[in-house]
Amino acid sequence: QVQLVESGGGLVQPGGSLRLSCAASGIIFGINDMGWYRQAPGKERELVAAINRGGSTNYADSVKGRFTISRDNAKNTVYLQMNSLKPEDTAVYYCNADVKDWSGENDYWGQGTQVTVSS
């Protein structure tokens, strides 16, 4: 069974920075796309940033220039560096990965990590 474990969330003041990490573990033959999503109270889950195995990225317009997604394929880990954080970035952030495992290609989610931006 593949698991995604996130870390790095917390409380930060506006203008501050946080770095989220998400490590995939289990029997993994390969990982294609990896990404970060977020869900604020009363809102739908939305894509924040995604990265493919080759390193190509895409970002939500609301985070362009402030957030950077990266990955370490050897460690099956994806990161999200968040700078210049705003109160509207407050949400639960979820890691997502498209993983090749024993049963084929499957979509996995992490448990979520809370990010709160407040003074």
Side-chain angles (χ1 to χ4, degrees):
Q1 181 72 11
V2 173
Q3 288 188 320
L4 302 184
V5 179
E6 299 134 340
S7 61
L11 172 65
V12 63
Q13 292 186 342
S17 297
L18 282 175
R19 189 188 193 215
L20 305 183
S21 299
C22 171
S25 63
I27 306 297
I28 297 172
F29 298 139
I31 302 178
N32 294 323
D33 294 347
M34 303 185 82
W36 290 94
Y37 290 72
R38 66 186 181 188
Q39 188 166 19
K43 295 187 177 181
E44 293 187 352
R45 189 173 296 189
E46 63 174 358
L47 175 68
V48 176
I51 184 168
N52 67 15
R53 188 170 180 83
S56 294
T57 59
N58 67 285
Y59 296 91
D61 287 343
S62 60
V63 306
K64 283 180 180 177
R66 300 188 298 121
F67 291 10
T68 302
I69 189 171
S70 61
R71 64 189 284 174
D72 184 332
N73 291 331
K75 295 182 179 180
N76 291 329
T77 299
V78 63
Y79 307 96
L80 185 68
Q81 178 66 44
M82 304 185 293
N83 298 329
S84 302
L85 282 160
K86 304 175 180 180
E88 51 264 43
D89 294 317
T90 295
V92 178
Y93 283 70
Y94 297 91
C95 172
N96 173 262
D98 182 19
V99 179
K100 292 182 181 178
D101 58 19
W102 284 110
S103 64
E105 198 163 312
N106 296 288
D107 196 47
Y108 289 94
W109 291 88
Q111 80 284 359
T113 185
Q114 177 70 46
V115 171
T116 303
V117 184
S118 175
S119 55

